[in-house]
Amino acid sequence: MKNQAKLFLISLLGIVMLSSADCNRHPVGPQIPVYSYLEPILNPPDTFQIVYNIRTYGNKTASVKFRNDAVWLVERLGSGVVTLKAVSDTSLQFIESVDTLALKGGNQYHFIVNNNNYTGLSNFFVQFTKLPLNYSTFTPKFK
């Protein structure tokens, strides 16, 4: 009986070791850069994410300035109770899930997140993907 128990424990230990070794591997493929909302983001790549720490109440604002005029897909990645809005000098747009925004290069844009006073939330991600659409013909423009 003791031999069977030892064999069982050794087998169980081997399974745990092999499964945990796979957890520390880095994903294969291109990595998407992640920026903090705490620092201004200048000339970001064609795909990137902004992470917001929403453990505390109130607005969290990321400032982004794009190099060129482009059309961007903006996606919320996370809890549906969090509000996300895009703000410029003259425009305001709430982003419910996914939205497409024509953003002018050189302009300062603010992407504001608020957790609506819900507790238990920690990080919220917003992903930006540059689309192969012509800025000059895309309407409406987000100014």
Side-chain angles (χ1 to χ4, degrees):
M1 185 70 173
K2 287 186 178 184
N3 287 339
Q4 288 179 336
K6 286 181 185 178
L7 182 59
F8 175 76
L9 288 175
I10 290 172
S11 299
L12 185 61
L13 181 62
I15 291 170
V16 169
M17 288 176 56
L18 289 174
S19 64
S20 67
D22 192 38
C23 292
N24 293 325
R25 298 177 80 186
H26 295 289
V28 177
Q31 298 291 318
I32 296 175
V34 179
Y35 297 92
S36 169
Y37 73 98
L38 297 171
E39 297 291 326
I41 302 166
L42 301 173
N43 307 323
D46 291 351
T47 300
F48 69 99
Q49 294 178 353
I50 301 174
V51 62
Y52 296 83
N53 178 344
I54 57 172
R55 288 187 183 112
T56 58
Y57 302 132
N59 288 338
K60 310 295 188 257
T61 303
S63 296
V64 183
K65 188 181 283 189
F66 298 94
R67 181 184 318 263
N68 300 315
D69 300 349
V71 179
W72 291 84
L73 181 71
V74 181
E75 300 177 79
R76 301 163 44 97
L77 306 175
S79 175
V81 299
V82 174
T83 59
L84 169 63
K85 58 186 171 183
V87 179
S88 71
D89 289 339
T90 59
S91 298
L92 168 73
Q93 176 73 39
F94 283 90
I95 300 170
E96 299 298 326
S97 177
V98 177
D99 209 339
T100 305
L101 301 176
L103 303 173
K104 184 153 186 64
N107 284 4
Q108 188 77 36
Y109 294 98
H110 302 285
F111 295 91
I112 302 170
V113 165
N114 189 306
N115 76 353
N116 294 316
N117 300 329
Y118 287 95
T119 58
L121 301 176
S122 57
N123 287 330
F124 184 80
F125 290 83
V126 178
Q127 182 164 311
F128 295 76
T129 306
K130 188 176 181 181
L131 298 175
L133 300 174
N134 188 332
Y135 174 85
S136 60
T137 59
F138 186 88
T139 55
K141 304 284 191 279
F142 187 77
K143 297 182 179 181

